[in-house]
Amino acid sequence: MKKTETQKGAIYAGFSYLLWGLLPIYWKLLDHVNAKEILASRVLWSFIFMVIILLLTRKWGLFLQTVKGFAKNKKQMYALTIASLLISVNWFIYIWAVNSGHMIEASLGYYINPLISILLGMIVLKEKLNVYQYISFILAAIGVLIISISHGQFPWIAIALALSFGLYGLAKKLINVNSEVGLTLETLVVTPVAAIYIGYLFLIDSHSFLSDGVQTDLLLIGAGAATAVPLLYFAKGAKKIPLSLLGFLQYIAPTLTLLLGVFVYDEHFSKIQLLSFMFIWSALVIYSLSKTKILSPQLFNFRKEKSTSI
């Protein structure tokens, strides 16, 4: 049963990263809109979308019950509030980076992010890696180091994205609530701020919503679903798999983002960057095989004992 749940978790998380990897296409369609307004719309319409989902799935009662439960469990409430703030910061930086021509650096952030997740899993949650997983971690770290050095300056966008989402993943591991309810609560925390900001834009007549055409309006409204769906699958997956596995699955999204940046939006991609990705993908292959009988810790120990006896 546990193995089946882990497999389901891996599928859920993998699908969420697939959607996130393709999401820059959506934000590029809104590159004429201020990043702050996109973020505010994303938060507001995500909350509205999740309320509709709760009503359709008859989980509104569970939502109210969970809110009441926070009065007795303040740690859960604090973890959820922190998760909400972290993901909001992450959203803003990512939208700004994509629409400002920094898609490759944004992908770098999500290449660094799995290392942050793995370290958090080891340090905070005391998760253990076998010898092959340590090797894959070192290879991935080398790849990230190469691309960071080749970047030529401190990649603050990448670091900010990696830290904010890595800590968000940790916070999600500590929140024991239904996925749909949890995401609704996360968006609820920052929805008042988003609504006030949108109202302010209307007040000073500096808004794109309801002034830049029907396509812009639909895209801003659709940002709610585009945000909520991958987060729902991420939440379902994060609860079922170790944080270390979650970390390595995260390479799906930045790889897709990188491919979009290079082949669709014509951002520069050097040979040094290619070398770094070769290290990262080697790490992924070794980590994936470490989960099978082909590369198992027992096999490593057997070979080591045989070598010692000779």
Side-chain angles (χ1 to χ4, degrees), residues 64-83:
L64 296 176
Q65 183 181 346
T66 303
V67 172
K68 292 178 182 178
F70 283 147
K72 298 179 180 179
N73 193 340
K74 295 295 179 66
K75 288 184 179 179
Q76 289 276 298
M77 183 179 69
Y78 295 148
L80 189 138
T81 301
I82 291 171

Side-chain angles (χ1 to χ4, degrees), residues 154-169:
F154 184 76
W156 71 268
I157 296 174
I159 297 299
L161 287 172
L163 284 174
S164 58
F165 200 79
L167 291 169
Y168 172 74

